[in-house]
Amino acid sequence: MSTVKPVHIIGAGLAGSEAAWQLAEAGVPVTLHEMRPVRPTDAHHTDKCAELVCSNSFRSDDKEYNAVGLIHDEMRRAGSIIMRCADEHKVPAGGALAVDREGFSAAVTGALENHPLITMERGEIDGLPPVEWEHTIIATGPLTSGPLAEAIRTETGEESLAFFDAIAPIVYKESIDFDKAWFQSRYDKGDGKDYINCPMNEAEYNTFIDALIEGDKTEFKDWEKDTPYFDGCLPIEVMAERGRETLRHGPMKPVGLTNPHDPTNKPRAIVQLRQDNALGTLYNMVGFQTKLKYGAQADVLRTIPGLEKAEFARLGGIHRNTFLNSPRLLDGNLRLKSRPDVRFAGQITGCEGYVESAAVGLMVGRFTAAEKSGKTLPTPPLATAMGALLNHITGGADESTFQPMNVNFGLFPDLELTKRVKGRDRKKLYSDRAIPLFDAWLSEIAAA
């Protein structure tokens, strides 16, 4: 039996699960604390680790031209359990990586529960960990429980920032009218038919926008009313209120698609649905996060051509997210400056997205494993996707205006070029530079 004290991880979402795996694979025992099902959240529906509640998509899997695809590649190279299970349970999604959500979370849960160095404990941790634990990772995500969040605020002297994250509806495929809808990926990417498309003419689009703006919406509590949304996950009605054309230039853009039912008339807007499970029976409405009340929501969504008789496996919802002012509170290895025995991982650090959350968990797991063995691990190079994301969280962003951020090439250091390169060619250069640097980092830490 190991005499090494375990690292305690609070939260078994994507970040906590990845951190636990990295530690255990490095030979460090882990106690993984998860409050579900003892205490449920507003968004989760199971007690599984790494449950996906907002979307089944890990977004682009293009490692050459997209920063998200690049971070996928780096995580795979670093032995990520999240990416391994995502690859094992992927479903068609064009150029994106999307997964069967239930199969994915079950696979992650099984891998963790069957690892000899990982112990799962169910129950809420309602305060900061005792110093006797020595090493703790808090990976409670955007739905951190009230008592723990309050303990963090008391310790740091900071008010945690907050934003609202809305959940998109899921439709039963059999209820979609394919006399109006059709299968096609934008610009025929992937298999060319990974999305279901519902077209709108100008009158239909305007009717939809009017219904959306006028629909009965969730009322916020007084303490929630001044909380800003994160721009990467805006509810559709908030986008509509910003201008009638906003949606047709966003998630409802009609470009790259041709309606086979009426090929000569270009739609004013198109609603896309992406496969949500391996069986292909459920489809997620892409970009349709909403805070409409359930009754109004079903009525509004059924004004969309092809969805007049839609049956919903899940209607959209909304929940409040919290995150730290990480540039002010955390050091470069994601330790709490006031208590270096405590690290943070995942969305609570101010990264945004499932992939980014897991990537931060991977780094925190590696940093903690090295510290347990008396070593100091170098951070990933700034010109890699992981290094750029870490830098944003721990100091690359202005602490006075810090907001959640997805990984993107705008976080990377400039390319040293002798001539101007734009668009896709420039993105490719970022990726070409990052991959050998990341491999060199992996080799360096393996030899340490």
Side-chain angles (χ1 to χ4, degrees), residues 47-373:
D47 63 355
K48 295 291 192 293
C49 302
E51 181 184 343
L52 305 179
V53 300
C54 185
S55 169
N56 70 331
S57 176
F58 282 51
R59 311 195 318 280
S60 174
D61 202 34
D62 184 350
K63 69 180 182 181
E64 293 186 319
Y65 298 100
N66 191 291
V68 178
L70 178 58
I71 210 168
H72 287 178
D73 185 67
E74 292 179 1
M75 292 173 68
R76 291 182 177 112
R77 291 167 187 262
S80 165
I81 186 64
I82 294 299
M83 291 308 301
R84 190 186 85 184
C85 293
D87 289 336
E88 290 172 354
H89 293 275
K90 63 184 178 181
V91 296
L97 173 61
V99 304
D100 178 329
R101 295 183 301 139
E102 292 185 4
F104 165 77
S105 61
V108 175
T109 304
L112 297 177
E113 289 181 339
N114 292 323
H115 200 292
L117 292 180
I118 298 175
T119 300
M120 289 282 297
E121 291 192 0
R122 300 285 181 169
E124 182 181 3
I125 304 296
D126 59 5
L128 286 181
V131 293
E132 291 78 17
W133 283 7
E134 293 186 358
H135 292 89
T136 302
I137 298 169
I138 298 177
T140 46
L143 298 177
T144 300
S145 68
L148 179 55
E150 184 58 36
I152 294 169
R153 282 193 290 267
T154 299
E155 171 65 27
T156 61
E158 295 289 332
E159 285 297 321
S160 290
L161 304 179
F163 61 94
F164 287 103
D165 190 11
I167 301 171
I170 294 176
V171 180
Y172 288 103
K173 178 188 172 185
E174 64 183 13
S175 70
I176 299 172
D177 182 359
F178 284 96
D179 287 336
K180 297 178 181 178
W182 76 95
F183 282 96
Q184 185 185 7
S185 302
R186 189 167 278 116
Y187 300 111
D188 296 318
K189 289 184 176 181
D191 290 338
K193 54 181 182 179
D194 292 340
Y195 293 81
I196 295 173
N197 301 277
C198 299
M200 290 182 179
N201 60 32
E202 185 171 1
E204 291 164 338
Y205 178 75
N206 285 328
T207 297
F208 172 75
I209 294 297
D210 289 338
L212 195 59
I213 293 172
E214 295 167 6
D216 194 11
K217 301 169 183 66
T218 301
E219 294 293 330
F220 298 138
K221 299 180 178 67
D222 289 340
W223 54 269
E224 295 177 316
K225 289 181 178 178
D226 294 330
T227 304
Y229 292 102
F230 171 53
D231 280 347
C233 200
L234 283 175
I236 51 173
E237 61 275 5
V238 173
M239 286 189 274
E241 289 167 357
R242 292 185 173 185
R244 297 187 69 85
E245 299 297 290
T246 302
L247 281 168
R248 63 178 298 271
H249 290 289
M252 295 174 66
K253 57 182 177 286
V255 298
L257 299 163
T258 301
N259 183 357
H261 304 301
D262 190 5
T264 60
N265 289 325
K266 183 176 178 61
R268 181 70 172 174
I270 292 176
V271 175
Q272 287 198 305
L273 297 91
R274 179 181 56 225
Q275 185 173 330
D276 195 72
N277 64 345
L279 295 174
T281 56
L282 301 177
Y283 274 74
N284 188 296
M285 298 184 69
V286 178
F288 263 57
Q289 305 90 345
T290 180
K291 63 171 183 170
L292 288 172
K293 290 185 176 179
Y294 283 173
Q297 191 177 143
D299 290 343
V300 171
L301 296 178
R302 288 184 181 125
T303 68
I304 299 170
L307 300 185
E308 293 92 344
K309 297 182 179 180
E311 296 297 328
F312 299 94
R314 182 190 73 190
L315 285 163
I318 191 164
H319 54 271
R320 186 177 189 264
N321 287 351
T322 57
F323 62 95
L324 297 172
N325 189 332
S326 293
R328 184 176 298 168
L329 301 176
L330 305 182
D331 70 10
N333 272 200
L334 296 161
R335 288 177 292 223
L336 189 60
K337 292 176 183 177
S338 64
R339 274 196 60 176
D341 59 308
V342 177
R343 280 185 165 91
F344 286 84
Q347 284 185 266
I348 195 171
T349 66
C351 67
E352 176 59 26
Y354 288 131
V355 175
E356 291 86 341
S357 181
V360 174
L362 188 155
M363 290 185 280
V364 169
R366 295 262 180 150
F367 293 153
T368 309
E371 189 172 317
K372 287 283 285 185
S373 63

Side-chain angles (χ1 to χ4, degrees), residues 1-7 27-31 117 134-135 372-373:
M1 184 174 178
S2 175
T3 58
V4 179
K5 273 194 171 185
V7 172
V28 179
V30 173
T31 300
L117 292 180
E134 293 186 358
H135 292 89
K372 287 283 285 185
S373 63

Side-chain angles (χ1 to χ4, degrees), residues 17-34:
S17 296
E18 186 65 66
W21 182 260
Q22 294 294 324
L23 279 157
E25 287 292 279
V28 179
V30 173
T31 300
L32 182 57
H33 303 267
E34 172 53 53

